[in-house]
DNA sequence: TTGAAATTGATAACCTATTTCAATTAGCTG
DNA sequence: CAGCTAATTGAAATAGGTTATCAATTTCAA
């Protein structure tokens, strides 16, 4: 049973173009990475070190950066750590964040996304992903 | 000529409530901070060390975090550094970021902001600030 | 199978941000 | 306005996440 066929093909294509190699580690990390909507390097490391105790943290970082270049992942700096988002995960959502109590509400809005495309087009950009965070006070914290 | 009256009052109010003190350094840093739409601690440090060579970087960080707690600033992790946004600055702009060459285009879009308000209202939130980043390829990097 | 080039793992280095701590300062109290 | 206590500061040490280094290993085209 072969999983993540499409992403694996994308990765191989990216590697081929740049004379990079398809290694056991890259396959292992890709497989584990794609199981999550987003994950940190450290989390992936702990998870994978069970399967392969010799896998180094540096390799995880290098590989995640590779995924970003290949368009499979998207780095997002959040707090002191970096979250690597799984781009192939379709259910993209944005966040409403209460600065008082930390409550987070996820939402999705097609109209906003359409306007984003317009802005991008006007500036000659093609959007791959985006990040929208609204900071404010939730109903309970407004006083 | 007194500048930044409103923000200074806000800060003093915040300090008063928590038995914190209004110091020369805090005034200095507030003044310099408010001149920018957003700035990093390091930049602020270099700028201020001309006026006061003894001002420490740690104090800049401490004070910027204080501003965040007081609602005057908003921290935004960007790349490897933290940008501190000046909340009182109305002309808020969003970013189009090229993931290939790093080019950044700033933009503003009232329609998007209006839709954001709608989403927030629907969820009982009152927005203070937001952050919108569109990642993709600029015209030159599309091939 | 062979060999050049890429990759890996381990660790050191890096960079930003925070913590520590003795000396200084703010700002009440009398 | 002097005295006192708690907060603040500067300098340097420390922390924590990420990247660079390098010898050994692995990939993959010829």
């Amino acid at each position: 049973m072969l999983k993540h066929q499409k992403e694996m093909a994308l990765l191989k294509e990216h590697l081929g173009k740049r004379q990079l190699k398809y290694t056991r580690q890259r396959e292992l990390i890709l497989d584990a990475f794609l199981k999550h909507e987003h994950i940190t390097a450290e989390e992936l490391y702990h998870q994978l070190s069970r399967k392969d105790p010799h896998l180094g943290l540096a390799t995880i970082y290098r590989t995640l950066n590779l995924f970003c270049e290949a368009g499979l992942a998207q780095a997002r700096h959040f707090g002191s750590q970096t979250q690597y988002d799984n781009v192939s995960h379709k259910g993209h959502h944005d966040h409403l964040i209460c600065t008082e109590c930390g409550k987070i509400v996820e939402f999705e809005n097609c109209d906003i996304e359409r306007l984003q495309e317009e802005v991008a087009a006007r500036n000659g950009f093609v959007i791959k992903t985006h990040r929208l965070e609204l900071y404010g006070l939730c109903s309970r914290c407004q006083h």
Side-chain angles (χ1 to χ4, degrees), chain A:
Chain A
M1 167 177 111
L2 291 173
K3 286 190 207 172
H4 309 135
Q5 283 281 74
K6 204 180 91 187
E7 289 77 17
M8 195 174 287
L10 273 169
L11 178 60
K12 282 184 175 170
E13 187 194 330
H14 180 84
L15 295 174
K17 278 183 187 168
R18 317 188 177 208
Q19 293 178 263
L20 304 179
K21 295 169 179 174
Y22 190 73
T23 65
R24 187 179 58 79
Q25 288 89 338
R26 283 174 180 168
E27 178 164 9
L28 205 66
I29 295 171
L30 178 65
D31 205 58
F33 170 69
L34 291 175
K35 286 180 184 155
H36 302 86
E37 189 157 351
H38 49 72
I39 194 167
T40 64
E42 204 76 38
E43 285 165 358
L44 253 185
Y45 178 60
H46 284 126
Q47 209 168 299
L48 284 172
S49 54
R50 275 183 240 125
K51 290 188 184 177
D52 183 346
H54 289 293
L55 191 63
L57 183 56
T59 301
I60 307 270
Y61 276 108
R62 280 188 288 236
T63 306
L64 285 172
N65 287 337
L66 176 72
F67 291 172
C68 288
E69 285 161 25
L72 293 169
Q74 169 74 49
R76 202 162 42 102
H77 306 280
F78 204 77
S80 66
Q81 280 195 300
T82 302
Q83 286 280 344
Y84 291 86
D85 292 359
N86 179 347
V87 169
S88 74
H89 236 278
K90 277 296 166 254
H92 176 83
H93 46 240
D94 299 312
H95 300 270
L96 257 168
I97 301 163
C98 180
T99 55
E100 193 67 24
C101 68
K103 181 181 177 188
I104 295 181
V105 176
E106 299 182 345
F107 70 89
E108 226 182 313
N109 188 301
C110 306
D111 293 333
I112 291 179
E113 312 234 338
R114 189 174 41 72
L115 288 169
Q116 288 174 358
E117 291 291 345
E118 282 179 23
V119 170
R122 210 174 299 142
N123 288 279
F125 273 68
V126 173
I127 298 180
K128 285 200 292 190
T129 54
H130 73 261
R131 166 190 198 171
L132 172 57
E133 286 156 10
L134 308 180
Y135 299 94
L137 297 176
C138 72
S139 49
R140 286 199 314 183
C141 294
Q142 288 168 35
H143 30 255

